[in-house]
Amino acid sequence: MLRKIINTILFIPLSFFISFHQSILSENKSFIDEVIEENEDKIFIDHQEIKNIILRNNNELKALKELIDASSFNLSSKIAKRYPSIDLQGNGLPQYVFGENYNNNSGTRKTSQFSANPSLNIRLDLIDPLRGPEIKIAKENFKIAKNNYEIKKKDLILEARTRFHQYQKSSQDIINKKFALDLSITSLENAQAKLDAGIGTKFEVLEAEAQLSRDKQELNERKIEHQINKISLKEILNLKEDFEIEKEQKLLGFWNHKLNKNINNGLEKNLSLKNISLQQSIKDNEAKSFLNSNQPSIYISNSLSSTFTKGDSLAVEIDPSEYGSSYTNTVSLNFSWNIFNGGQNNKSYKSSKAQARGEEYSYYNLKNVLKTNITKAYLNLKLNEEKILSTSKEISSTKESLRLSRLRYDVGISTLKDVLVRQKELSDAKSKNINAIYNYNLNLDELKRLTFLEISNDCVGNDNTIKQTESICNIPI
């Protein structure tokens, strides 16, 4: 009986070692694997390449680029009002007049004449009360169009990087669940071996089978989630071909900027705040243009008109060889003045001024929102730094706990239930570490978007020296 127990004790660790490596090296394809399998040629996408792919492929940015061109042309058209306008007209080129005119005193007079009447008009506005505000409004609309492009570009890059992190995280989740599945397979084999040796129970086998079933289901869920994340990333990048990424999850870098610097830099360079200021300026210029509508406009005009004729007009006998010409040139200083229009311009002025004050309130509201978002992202970054450190320790501790619980189970002084609990704790610790790194990278990208500051590859402490104590700085990127 003692020999049988000793053989069983020696057999179980050996079977654990063999089955563990076999389960990793050879895994049968499930139905989920067949559904999501891709046969296309794949391209490799790095985190740093996302910006170039977005700029090259995204249709929303292309549409905003066209709006910038439209605003530029509109600005050019408003500036062109500073220059003189030239208008060339031709009335009858040529014109033929034929007819008779009878009078009892002078008899019948005939007309048969070809004529041409070109005219050239030149106008230069010396004082145009509406021209200045219109040019300023066009300039501000052009700046807004460029800012909108930059805002959308940065938002799309942030969203694409977020989806990239989600896709990478789901890859790590699959690896973690496969690891948990391998542990469950080993536990089931050990429980079955003990049952066959007569030192285990059917209850332990059932527990191991239930855990194995749960791990298989969770693995399939992670595979589906992984495929959905891939489709989501492919959509925002507007890629036609299949792709793959680096599955290993690493820290993007380190954030060495203080909270006050984050807030000040973010508010100073935020394009949405600048757009609100530009909108307020546009409303003020619109109000100014309504007031200027009641002011006189002064312009110089030069009109050159000429007439060329061949034939006779109102003659007794038509001389077809007769011809003549004439011209006149008129230079004048002119003005027009819309004195009163029932108070319409005054009411429009007040309306635009009220809208400008509304933009001012929107500015301060957005400023407060940005402060809150920057502060939240910064604090969450610090929280996730601590989570990365604590979950790394937790992984080490639960690994050792699982090893000890397996040894205790192998020699018969513990139960399989304890082993399964330790398995779950290790899997959960890995999952929390994956989530902490994922959220940390999201916070870095978010802070970069909100503050316009850069992520550093070097971790620097408060005294501008590399930290030596236990911290996030000791984790490789």
Side-chain angles (χ1 to χ4, degrees):
M1 182 65 184
L2 182 60
R3 180 179 297 176
K4 185 176 182 180
I5 294 175
I6 293 174
N7 290 337
T8 303
I9 292 174
L10 294 175
F11 170 74
I12 290 175
L14 180 61
S15 63
F16 164 74
F17 178 81
I18 296 174
S19 62
F20 179 78
H21 284 275
Q22 286 179 342
S23 61
I24 295 178
L25 295 175
S26 60
E27 180 183 356
N28 294 328
K29 286 187 178 180
S30 65
F31 172 74
I32 297 296
D33 295 321
E34 295 177 356
V35 170
I36 65 177
E37 185 178 22
E38 294 285 351
N39 295 320
E40 303 175 16
D41 294 333
K42 297 182 179 181
I43 61 172
F44 183 81
I45 295 178
D46 184 71
H47 180 268
Q48 302 298 330
E49 296 176 358
I50 289 178
K51 177 180 179 180
N52 293 331
I53 297 175
I54 287 289
L55 294 177
R56 184 171 63 248
N57 293 347
N58 191 270
N59 291 324
E60 289 185 76
L61 288 182
K62 293 178 182 178
L64 290 174
K65 189 70 174 177
E66 294 298 325
L67 292 180
I68 293 177
D69 293 339
S71 299
S72 176
F73 292 135
N74 181 61
L75 174 59
S76 299
S77 71
K78 299 301 182 183
I79 294 176
K81 290 187 174 182
R82 294 173 174 172
Y83 305 105
S85 61
I86 300 175
D87 183 18
L88 177 63
Q89 294 181 347
N91 297 322
L93 289 176
Q95 173 180 288
Y96 176 68
V97 179
F98 173 80
E100 292 183 354
N101 186 8
Y102 173 76
N103 187 284
N104 62 341
N105 293 324
S106 58
T108 301
R109 296 184 178 274
K110 300 178 181 180
T111 298
S112 177
Q113 187 179 64
F114 288 93
S115 65
N117 304 281
S119 64
L120 182 67
N121 300 310
I122 302 176
R123 171 172 172 160
L124 176 61
D125 291 319
L126 300 178
I127 299 177
D128 184 356
L130 300 181
R131 181 173 57 196
E134 286 180 353
I135 293 176
K136 290 181 180 179
I137 290 173
K139 285 182 178 179
E140 286 153 357
N141 280 326
F142 178 58
K143 292 178 182 178
I144 288 175
K146 292 195 295 183
N147 288 345
N148 285 338
Y149 176 84
E150 291 297 321
I151 291 171
K152 191 63 179 180
K153 181 184 74 175
K154 293 180 182 297
D155 287 342
L156 285 171
I157 291 173
L158 177 62
E159 176 62 23
R161 286 178 174 169
T162 299
R163 297 185 188 186
F164 180 90
H165 294 317
Q166 289 173 344
Y167 184 49
Q168 193 174 58
K169 172 183 172 296
S170 60
S171 298
Q172 293 298 308
D173 286 335
I174 290 175
I175 294 173
N176 182 33
K177 291 305 175 183
K178 285 182 178 180
F179 175 77
L181 182 64
D182 291 338
L183 293 179
S184 296
I185 292 173
T186 301
S187 298
L188 176 59
E189 291 176 349
N190 289 346
Q192 187 65 49
K194 277 197 170 187
L195 179 63
D196 295 340
I199 58 175
T201 64
K202 182 65 176 176
F203 179 73
E204 290 182 337
V205 175
L206 293 176
E207 279 187 325
E209 288 179 345
Q211 183 61 45
L212 179 62
S213 179
R214 287 192 293 269
D215 289 334
K216 284 183 177 179
Q217 178 61 31
E218 289 180 1
L219 177 59
N220 287 336
E221 289 175 358
R222 297 298 181 272
K223 287 180 178 179
I224 292 298
E225 181 182 349
H226 181 67
Q227 189 66 12
I228 292 173
N229 290 335
K230 181 178 183 179
I231 294 171
S232 178
L233 179 58
K234 190 174 183 179
E235 177 266 327
I236 197 171
L237 296 178
N238 197 22
L239 293 174
K240 307 301 180 184
E241 62 272 22
D242 195 14
F243 65 92
E244 59 183 11
I245 66 171
E246 176 62 47
K247 294 182 179 181
E248 184 179 359
Q249 195 178 30
K250 295 181 180 179
L251 303 186
L252 289 181
F254 305 101
W255 196 254
N256 299 321
H257 311 290
K258 294 295 185 179
L259 179 58
N260 287 337
K261 182 179 181 181
N262 293 334
I263 293 175
N264 294 334
N265 205 73
L267 296 180
E268 178 185 353
K269 296 185 178 181
N270 187 269
L271 296 178
S272 295
L273 286 177
K274 291 181 179 180
N275 273 0
I276 293 178
S277 298
L278 289 171
Q279 289 287 359
Q280 183 180 4
S281 179
I282 287 174
K283 299 303 179 184
D284 287 333
N285 281 305
E286 287 178 351
K288 186 176 180 180
S289 67
F290 285 124
L291 284 184
N292 291 350
S293 296
N294 289 333
Q295 296 180 6
S297 60
I298 301 175
Y299 62 94
I300 294 177
S301 64
N302 185 94
S303 298
L304 174 63
S305 60
S306 59
T307 302
F308 301 93
T309 61
K310 183 176 177 59
D312 272 343
S313 174
L314 300 176
V316 176
E317 295 293 334
I318 298 297
D319 183 3
S321 62
E322 183 178 340
Y323 64 90
S325 64
S326 66
Y327 76 91
T328 59
N329 188 71
T330 304
V331 180
S332 63
L333 179 65
N334 313 281
F335 83 97
S336 63
W337 192 354
N338 182 12
I339 297 177
F340 182 71
N341 64 347
Q344 177 182 349
N345 290 333
N346 186 46
K347 298 299 181 184
S348 298
Y349 165 81
K350 292 180 178 180
S351 174
S352 294
K353 276 296 185 181
Q355 293 178 32
R357 290 192 296 271
E359 295 293 343
E360 185 176 358
Y361 292 122
S362 298
Y363 179 89
Y364 288 113
N365 179 65
L366 180 58
K367 191 175 181 179
N368 290 332
V369 171
L370 288 172
K371 285 183 180 179
T372 301
N373 290 341
I374 292 172
T375 304
K376 283 182 177 180
Y378 182 81
L379 295 178
N380 284 330
L381 178 72
K382 296 304 177 182
L383 176 62
N384 285 306
E385 287 180 3
E386 297 299 324
K387 284 184 177 181
I388 291 172
L389 295 174
S390 62
T391 53
S392 297
K393 291 181 181 179
E394 187 178 354
I395 290 173
S396 300
S397 300
T398 51
K399 275 184 179 180
E400 182 63 16
S401 297
L402 176 61
R403 187 185 71 83
L404 293 176
S405 63
R406 280 202 180 279
L407 290 176
R408 290 164 57 85
Y409 175 67
D410 291 341
V411 298
I413 60 175
S414 181
T415 63
L416 183 64
K417 182 70 174 177
D418 184 56
V419 175
L420 296 179
V421 169
R422 302 294 174 257
Q423 282 183 199
K424 185 68 166 58
E425 289 177 350
L426 178 57
S427 178
D428 290 345
K430 285 179 173 287
S431 180
K432 285 188 286 186
N433 183 258
I434 291 170
N435 288 332
I437 296 176
Y438 163 72
N439 289 321
Y440 175 86
N441 287 336
L442 288 186
N443 293 144
L444 283 180
D445 281 333
E446 185 179 7
L447 282 171
K448 181 179 179 181
R449 169 68 183 92
L450 291 172
T451 65
F452 299 86
L453 298 171
E454 291 299 324
I455 302 171
S456 176
N457 291 327
D458 299 322
C459 189
V460 179
N462 297 335
D463 54 352
N464 292 328
T465 59
I466 298 179
K467 295 181 180 179
Q468 301 296 330
T469 59
E470 181 181 335
S471 70
I472 194 72
C473 299
N474 298 322
I475 297 180
I477 61 173

